[in-house]
Amino acid sequence: MSEATATVVLVGCGCPGKSMGWYHAVQLLDEERSMPATLKYIVEPWYMSEAGKSSPGSAEFAEWRKTLEQTKNIEFFATVKEVPLPSSSDEKR
């Protein structure tokens, strides 16, 4: 019997290597933990804002974002409103 999997929307990941939100993303992406969850969307209001794009930590965030988009197909958004609605009634979040 297969285990149900939840789609995770992480809101407020913060600076890679420094914030708890980022660490939660790392935990979700750790394949050795075999969690019944898939990180699919990350919402980061600060680093994706005009003011945040040039703030301390923005270069680290941009690099981490690019890596996750390319290697894990994770989508990033500046606001929760931008996150797509579930694709079906079977998708758990």
Side-chain angles (χ1 to χ4, degrees):
M1 179 159 67
S2 68
E3 194 172 357
T5 301
T7 299
V8 176
V9 179
L10 178 71
V11 180
C13 67
C15 184
K18 296 181 181 177
S19 73
M20 282 308 298
W22 167 82
Y23 188 67
H24 290 316
V26 169
Q27 291 173 317
L28 287 162
L29 294 169
D30 183 354
E31 294 174 7
E32 290 183 21
R33 291 179 181 266
S34 36
M35 288 189 224
T38 302
L39 180 57
K40 190 169 180 179
Y41 306 110
I42 295 178
V43 178
E44 177 45 54
W46 174 246
Y47 287 119
M48 294 186 67
S49 70
E50 286 304 312
K53 288 179 182 175
S54 59
S55 68
S58 61
E60 292 90 338
F61 174 79
E63 182 179 327
W64 183 66
R65 174 186 175 184
K66 182 179 177 182
T67 298
L68 292 185
E69 287 175 334
Q70 292 175 348
T71 63
K72 302 289 186 181
N73 296 317
I74 295 174
E75 296 179 55
F76 284 74
F77 300 94
T79 66
V80 172
K81 189 176 183 178
E82 296 172 286
V83 177
L85 294 173
S87 57
S88 74
S89 60
D90 293 334
E91 183 179 355
K92 306 294 184 227
R93 288 193 183 174

